[in-house]
Amino acid sequence: RKEVEQDPGPFNVPEGATVAFNCTYSNSASQSFFWYRQDCRKEPKLLMSVYSSGNEDGRFTAQLNRASQYISLLIRDSKLSDSATYLCVVNPPAGTALIFGKGTTLSVSS
Amino acid sequence: EPEVTQTPSHQVTQMGQEVILRCVPISNHLYFYWYRQILGQKVEFLVSFYNNEISEKSEIFDDQFSVERPDGSNFTLKIRSTKLEDSAMYFCASSEEDTQYFGPGTRLTVL
């Protein structure tokens, strides 16, 4: 089983749409969870950390379900500038390495 | 806003040659990392470094690879004898605690 699995993409949505990405992880003892975004041929950039209580940053909402080993990201009112690949990232226990999912590509069109 | 910087942005080398990729982490960060991303694939962890020694490494990080912090600001990745399959983007990252910030990457092309 892959360590971090994400929705297959791409997601093609119009401006203003709401879109949700899902992710599952295999190590139940994982400690930290993140969403990064990556533009084409650029570095991953931290979008937000994900906390058990759920957290929101403007149009972005992240949820974590430890029992199901499931992480989600909701983007409301999509903008053209949201077009990117969204990476689900997990930090396993007692380790420093980040484990990346393969990413889900979002394309927002006008 | 402080950021991680990397040089060069693109390195082309012949198979079998040694390359050194350079990084300047964010100044107050204590943890440093190297990752790579082969075109079209996911980002993969190579190595982490703390307190002047390797704290964790992956299976990819074999004897061909080494890391060094030669002074108070630079963090380098050396590949001793490059192979075609080493062609990838190499990202340096640094962190204060668990949130890692990535540099813009070096695109390594091995011919």
Side-chain angles (χ1 to χ4, degrees):
Chain A
R1 181 179 172 186
K2 292 180 187 171
E3 292 186 79
V4 179
E5 288 198 66
Q6 295 188 238
D7 274 347
F11 283 53
N12 299 303
V13 302
E15 273 186 292
T18 295
V19 61
F21 301 137
N22 304 315
C23 168
T24 56
Y25 58 95
S26 60
N27 190 329
S28 60
S30 295
Q31 296 181 328
S32 306
F33 309 89
F34 308 91
W35 284 101
Y36 280 74
R37 71 170 275 168
Q38 186 174 31
D39 294 288
C40 188
R41 294 178 179 260
K42 300 284 190 181
E43 74 273 26
K45 288 191 176 176
L46 179 68
L47 182 65
M48 57 199 304
S49 301
V50 187
Y51 304 114
S52 297
S53 54
N55 47 302
E56 188 173 307
D57 182 3
R59 298 180 293 108
F60 300 85
T61 301
Q63 298 277 352
L64 168 64
N65 184 322
R66 284 189 183 270
S68 304
Q69 294 172 219
Y70 171 91
I71 307 164
S72 66
L73 176 69
L74 184 77
I75 305 175
R76 290 181 298 279
D77 188 23
S78 300
K79 311 289 184 195
L80 294 175
S81 56
D82 293 334
S83 297
T85 297
Y86 289 83
L87 309 175
C88 179
V89 183
V90 173
N91 187 198
T96 53
L98 293 181
I99 308 300
F100 283 76
K102 201 169 178 185
T104 303
T105 300
L106 172 66
S107 178
V108 182
S109 56
S110 56
Chain B
E1 185 178 316
E3 55 186 24
V4 178
T5 60
Q6 290 185 242
T7 54
S9 56
H10 192 183
Q11 174 94 45
V12 181
T13 190
Q14 296 289 328
M15 192 169 57
Q17 294 296 304
E18 174 183 288
V19 294
I20 298 176
L21 311 182
R22 301 180 193 281
C23 169
V24 178
I26 294 171
S27 62
N28 62 329
H29 286 185
L30 301 176
Y31 300 86
F32 316 119
Y33 314 84
W34 284 101
Y35 292 81
R36 78 171 187 191
Q37 186 175 30
I38 295 169
L39 189 63
Q41 298 189 23
K42 64 181 181 179
V43 177
E44 299 174 291
F45 170 75
L46 293 178
V47 66
S48 59
F49 193 85
Y50 171 73
N51 201 25
N52 283 319
E53 60 183 27
I54 290 174
S55 49
E56 187 178 355
K57 61 182 181 179
S58 71
E59 292 173 354
I60 303 167
F61 194 87
D62 61 22
D63 293 343
Q64 295 285 58
F65 292 88
S66 62
V67 289
E68 194 178 33
R69 185 148 165 86
D71 53 45
S73 58
N74 289 284
F75 179 52
T76 62
L77 174 69
K78 182 192 289 186
I79 310 175
R80 263 179 269 283
S81 178
T82 50
K83 306 183 187 70
L84 295 176
E85 55 265 34
D86 293 328
S87 294
M89 279 290 284
Y90 287 80
F91 294 110
C92 175
S94 69
S95 70
E96 214 172 350
E97 293 184 2
D98 62 347
T99 301
Q100 297 182 23
Y101 297 90
F102 285 74
T106 293
R107 178 165 299 282
L108 177 65
T109 302
V110 183
L111 303 175

